[in-house]
Tab-separated table of all heavy atoms in Angstrom:
chain	number	residue	atom	x	y	z
A	216	ARG	N	18.133	-90.114	162.553
A	216	ARG	CA	17.682	-89.190	163.591
A	216	ARG	C	16.238	-89.472	164.005
A	216	ARG	O	15.877	-89.356	165.183
A	216	ARG	CB	17.813	-87.764	163.085
A	216	ARG	CG	19.268	-87.307	162.919
A	216	ARG	CD	19.340	-85.890	162.398
A	216	ARG	NE	20.730	-85.441	162.281
A	216	ARG	CZ	21.088	-84.260	161.779
A	216	ARG	NH1	20.150	-83.407	161.352
A	216	ARG	NH2	22.368	-83.931	161.723
A	217	GLN	N	15.401	-89.830	162.995
A	217	GLN	CA	14.005	-90.161	163.324
A	217	GLN	C	13.936	-91.369	164.255
A	217	GLN	O	13.201	-91.367	165.244
A	217	GLN	CB	13.233	-90.423	162.030
A	217	GLN	CG	11.766	-90.763	162.258
A	217	GLN	CD	11.071	-91.148	160.973
A	217	GLN	OE1	11.726	-91.481	160.004
A	217	GLN	NE2	9.749	-91.097	160.975
A	218	ARG	N	14.698	-92.392	163.914
A	218	ARG	CA	14.688	-93.585	164.760
A	218	ARG	C	15.260	-93.291	166.138
A	218	ARG	O	14.791	-93.834	167.154
A	218	ARG	CB	15.478	-94.698	164.080
A	218	ARG	CG	14.793	-95.220	162.817
A	218	ARG	CD	15.627	-96.258	162.114
A	218	ARG	NE	14.935	-96.779	160.922
A	218	ARG	CZ	15.474	-97.640	160.063
A	218	ARG	NH1	16.729	-98.072	160.262
A	218	ARG	NH2	14.773	-98.061	159.035
A	219	GLN	N	16.274	-92.431	166.158
A	219	GLN	CA	16.830	-92.070	167.456
A	219	GLN	C	15.798	-91.336	168.301
A	219	GLN	O	15.669	-91.569	169.511
A	219	GLN	CB	18.077	-91.184	167.251
A	219	GLN	CG	18.782	-90.783	168.533
A	219	GLN	CD	19.370	-91.963	169.267
A	219	GLN	OE1	19.868	-92.895	168.639
A	219	GLN	NE2	19.304	-91.952	170.592
A	220	ALA	N	15.037	-90.445	167.649
A	220	ALA	CA	14.001	-89.727	168.396
A	220	ALA	C	12.923	-90.678	168.887
A	220	ALA	O	12.428	-90.557	170.027
A	220	ALA	CB	13.391	-88.639	167.504
A	221	ILE	N	12.523	-91.651	168.019
A	221	ILE	CA	11.517	-92.628	168.443
A	221	ILE	C	12.032	-93.446	169.616
A	221	ILE	O	11.328	-93.693	170.605
A	221	ILE	CB	11.143	-93.531	167.257
A	221	ILE	CG1	10.401	-92.706	166.187
A	221	ILE	CG2	10.282	-94.688	167.724
A	221	ILE	CD1	10.145	-93.479	164.914
A	222	THR	N	13.283	-93.869	169.508
A	222	THR	CA	13.877	-94.653	170.603
A	222	THR	C	13.925	-93.866	171.899
A	222	THR	O	13.589	-94.376	172.983
A	222	THR	CB	15.282	-95.113	170.219
A	222	THR	OG1	15.211	-95.856	168.989
A	222	THR	CG2	15.893	-95.979	171.294
A	223	ASP	N	14.316	-92.617	171.809
A	223	ASP	CA	14.374	-91.778	173.012
A	223	ASP	C	12.987	-91.591	173.610
A	223	ASP	O	12.797	-91.639	174.844
A	223	ASP	CB	14.985	-90.413	172.663
A	223	ASP	CG	16.448	-90.537	172.273
A	223	ASP	OD1	17.083	-91.569	172.619
A	223	ASP	OD2	16.971	-89.602	171.626
A	224	GLY	N	11.981	-91.407	172.722
A	224	GLY	CA	10.623	-91.233	173.241
A	224	GLY	C	10.105	-92.498	173.897
A	224	GLY	O	9.461	-92.442	174.962
A	225	LEU	N	10.370	-93.649	173.265
A	225	LEU	CA	9.932	-94.904	173.864
A	225	LEU	C	10.619	-95.142	175.204
A	225	LEU	O	9.985	-95.581	176.170
A	225	LEU	CB	10.222	-96.056	172.903
A	225	LEU	CG	9.376	-96.107	171.618
A	225	LEU	CD1	9.870	-97.227	170.706
A	225	LEU	CD2	7.903	-96.298	171.948
A	226	ARG	N	11.904	-94.846	175.249
A	226	ARG	CA	12.621	-95.048	176.495
A	226	ARG	C	12.062	-94.154	177.598
A	226	ARG	O	11.874	-94.579	178.761
A	226	ARG	CB	14.107	-94.771	176.301
A	226	ARG	CG	14.939	-95.045	177.561
A	226	ARG	CD	16.434	-94.899	177.333
A	226	ARG	NE	16.764	-93.537	176.937
A	226	ARG	CZ	17.152	-93.197	175.729
A	226	ARG	NH1	17.232	-94.134	174.789
A	226	ARG	NH2	17.441	-91.950	175.441
A	227	GLU	N	11.745	-92.940	177.251
A	227	GLU	CA	11.195	-92.017	178.248
A	227	GLU	C	9.820	-92.482	178.719
A	227	GLU	O	9.514	-92.422	179.927
A	227	GLU	CB	11.115	-90.612	177.647
A	227	GLU	CG	10.656	-89.559	178.642
A	227	GLU	CD	10.656	-88.176	178.038
A	227	GLU	OE1	11.104	-88.040	176.868
A	227	GLU	OE2	10.216	-87.234	178.718
A	228	ASN	N	8.988	-92.969	177.752
A	228	ASN	CA	7.661	-93.462	178.129
A	228	ASN	C	7.749	-94.689	179.030
A	228	ASN	O	6.984	-94.836	179.992
A	228	ASN	CB	6.861	-93.810	176.876
A	228	ASN	CG	6.455	-92.576	176.107
A	228	ASN	OD1	6.338	-91.494	176.684
A	228	ASN	ND2	6.251	-92.715	174.797
A	229	ILE	N	8.674	-95.598	178.691
A	229	ILE	CA	8.828	-96.808	179.507
A	229	ILE	C	9.267	-96.461	180.919
A	229	ILE	O	8.744	-96.985	181.919
A	229	ILE	CB	9.831	-97.762	178.835
A	229	ILE	CG1	9.232	-98.316	177.532
A	229	ILE	CG2	10.209	-98.905	179.767
A	229	ILE	CD1	10.217	-99.094	176.702
A	230	LEU	N	10.201	-95.527	181.035
A	230	LEU	CA	10.690	-95.138	182.364
A	230	LEU	C	9.590	-94.466	183.174
A	230	LEU	O	9.404	-94.751	184.378
A	230	LEU	CB	11.899	-94.217	182.224
A	230	LEU	CG	13.176	-94.866	181.644
A	230	LEU	CD1	14.277	-93.819	181.460
A	230	LEU	CD2	13.670	-95.985	182.575
A	231	ASN	N	8.829	-93.584	182.523
A	231	ASN	CA	7.756	-92.905	183.254
A	231	ASN	C	6.680	-93.897	183.703
A	231	ASN	O	6.175	-93.830	184.836
A	231	ASN	CB	7.129	-91.826	182.373
A	231	ASN	CG	8.082	-90.671	182.119
A	231	ASN	OD1	8.995	-90.440	182.932
A	231	ASN	ND2	7.906	-89.961	181.009
A	232	PHE	N	6.303	-94.822	182.789
A	232	PHE	CA	5.272	-95.797	183.143
A	232	PHE	C	5.751	-96.733	184.241
A	232	PHE	O	4.992	-97.094	185.151
A	232	PHE	CB	4.887	-96.590	181.889
A	232	PHE	CG	3.604	-97.344	182.021
A	232	PHE	CD1	2.383	-96.753	181.720
A	232	PHE	CD2	3.595	-98.656	182.487
A	232	PHE	CE1	1.189	-97.453	181.845
A	232	PHE	CE2	2.406	-99.352	182.625
A	232	PHE	CZ	1.193	-98.751	182.311
A	233	SER	N	6.996	-97.125	184.181
A	233	SER	CA	7.534	-98.046	185.196
A	233	SER	C	7.572	-97.398	186.568
A	233	SER	O	7.320	-98.046	187.592
A	233	SER	CB	8.937	-98.510	184.795
A	233	SER	OG	8.903	-99.197	183.562
A	234	HIS	N	7.875	-96.095	186.596
A	234	HIS	CA	7.936	-95.410	187.887
A	234	HIS	C	6.549	-95.169	188.468
A	234	HIS	O	6.359	-95.178	189.685
A	234	HIS	CB	8.691	-94.079	187.746
A	234	HIS	CG	10.184	-94.271	187.531
A	234	HIS	ND1	10.793	-93.985	186.348
A	234	HIS	CD2	11.149	-94.746	188.356
A	234	HIS	CE1	12.086	-94.241	186.433
A	234	HIS	NE2	12.332	-94.728	187.657
A	235	LYS	N	5.574	-94.931	187.579
A	235	LYS	CA	4.238	-94.594	188.075
A	235	LYS	C	3.400	-95.827	188.409
A	235	LYS	O	2.508	-95.770	189.245
A	235	LYS	CB	3.502	-93.727	187.048
A	235	LYS	CG	4.148	-92.353	186.866
A	235	LYS	CD	3.400	-91.515	185.842
A	235	LYS	CE	4.027	-90.145	185.694
A	235	LYS	NZ	3.334	-89.310	184.695
A	236	VAL	N	3.616	-96.921	187.656
A	236	VAL	CA	2.857	-98.151	187.910
A	236	VAL	C	3.824	-99.182	188.482
A	236	VAL	O	4.707	-99.662	187.759
A	236	VAL	CB	2.199	-98.672	186.619
A	236	VAL	CG1	1.409	-99.947	186.904
A	236	VAL	CG2	1.286	-97.597	186.021
A	237	GLU	N	3.631	-99.513	189.714
A	237	GLU	CA	4.547	-100.449	190.364
A	237	GLU	C	4.238	-101.874	189.926
A	237	GLU	O	3.106	-102.239	189.654
A	237	GLU	CB	4.403	-100.341	191.884
A	237	GLU	CG	4.789	-98.980	192.434
A	237	GLU	CD	4.645	-98.933	193.953
A	237	GLU	OE1	4.185	-99.934	194.535
A	237	GLU	OE2	5.009	-97.884	194.522
A	238	GLY	N	5.262	-102.674	189.860
A	238	GLY	CA	5.134	-104.089	189.530
A	238	GLY	C	5.155	-104.395	188.050
A	238	GLY	O	4.945	-105.547	187.655
A	239	THR	N	5.347	-103.399	187.193
A	239	THR	CA	5.419	-103.622	185.745
A	239	THR	C	6.880	-103.653	185.314
A	239	THR	O	7.708	-102.877	185.809
A	239	THR	CB	4.687	-102.508	184.986
A	239	THR	OG1	5.258	-101.246	185.318
A	239	THR	CG2	3.216	-102.515	185.312
A	240	SER	N	7.132	-104.530	184.358
A	240	SER	CA	8.491	-104.631	183.833
A	240	SER	C	8.601	-103.798	182.548
A	240	SER	O	7.612	-103.408	181.940
A	240	SER	CB	8.847	-106.095	183.534
A	240	SER	OG	7.987	-106.600	182.516
A	241	ALA	N	9.820	-103.591	182.151
A	241	ALA	CA	10.054	-102.817	180.921
A	241	ALA	C	9.494	-103.534	179.707
A	241	ALA	O	8.972	-102.910	178.770
A	241	ALA	CB	11.553	-102.554	180.752
A	242	LYS	N	9.561	-104.883	179.667
A	242	LYS	CA	9.058	-105.643	178.533
A	242	LYS	C	7.548	-105.481	178.399
A	242	LYS	O	7.009	-105.336	177.303
A	242	LYS	CB	9.424	-107.112	178.681
A	242	LYS	CG	8.991	-107.989	177.495
A	242	LYS	CD	9.439	-109.405	177.703
A	242	LYS	CE	9.043	-110.254	176.493
A	242	LYS	NZ	7.627	-110.194	176.184
A	243	GLU	N	6.838	-105.540	179.528
A	243	GLU	CA	5.389	-105.375	179.485
A	243	GLU	C	4.995	-103.993	178.979
A	243	GLU	O	4.056	-103.835	178.191
A	243	GLU	CB	4.798	-105.632	180.873
A	243	GLU	CG	4.960	-107.082	181.336
A	243	GLU	CD	4.501	-107.262	182.767
A	243	GLU	OE1	4.301	-106.219	183.435
A	243	GLU	OE2	4.351	-108.414	183.204
A	244	VAL	N	5.721	-102.979	179.433
A	244	VAL	CA	5.434	-101.611	178.960
A	244	VAL	C	5.694	-101.502	177.465
A	244	VAL	O	4.933	-100.887	176.712
A	244	VAL	CB	6.279	-100.607	179.757
A	244	VAL	CG1	6.043	-99.197	179.211
A	244	VAL	CG2	5.934	-100.667	181.231
A	245	MET	N	6.772	-102.139	176.991
A	245	MET	CA	7.121	-102.091	175.572
A	245	MET	C	6.065	-102.772	174.727
A	245	MET	O	5.654	-102.262	173.666
A	245	MET	CB	8.483	-102.763	175.352
A	245	MET	CG	9.036	-102.578	173.941
A	245	MET	SD	9.363	-100.835	173.607
A	245	MET	CE	9.853	-100.941	171.889
A	246	ASP	N	5.553	-103.931	175.213
A	246	ASP	CA	4.491	-104.623	174.483
A	246	ASP	C	3.235	-103.787	174.413
A	246	ASP	O	2.534	-103.739	173.390
A	246	ASP	CB	4.193	-105.968	175.153
A	246	ASP	CG	5.350	-106.953	175.012
A	246	ASP	OD1	6.175	-106.741	174.083
A	246	ASP	OD2	5.440	-107.895	175.815
Side-chain angles (χ1 to χ4, degrees):
R216 291 179 178 176
Q217 181 186 18
R218 292 177 178 175
Q219 182 65 37
I221 293 173
T222 304
D223 293 340
L225 291 175
R226 183 174 62 251
E227 184 177 355
N228 289 335
I229 292 171
L230 292 176
N231 291 335
F232 196 88
S233 299
H234 289 111
K235 294 180 179 179
V236 180
E237 297 181 356
T239 58
S240 63
K242 183 178 182 305
E243 294 174 347
V244 177
M245 189 64 184
D246 292 339

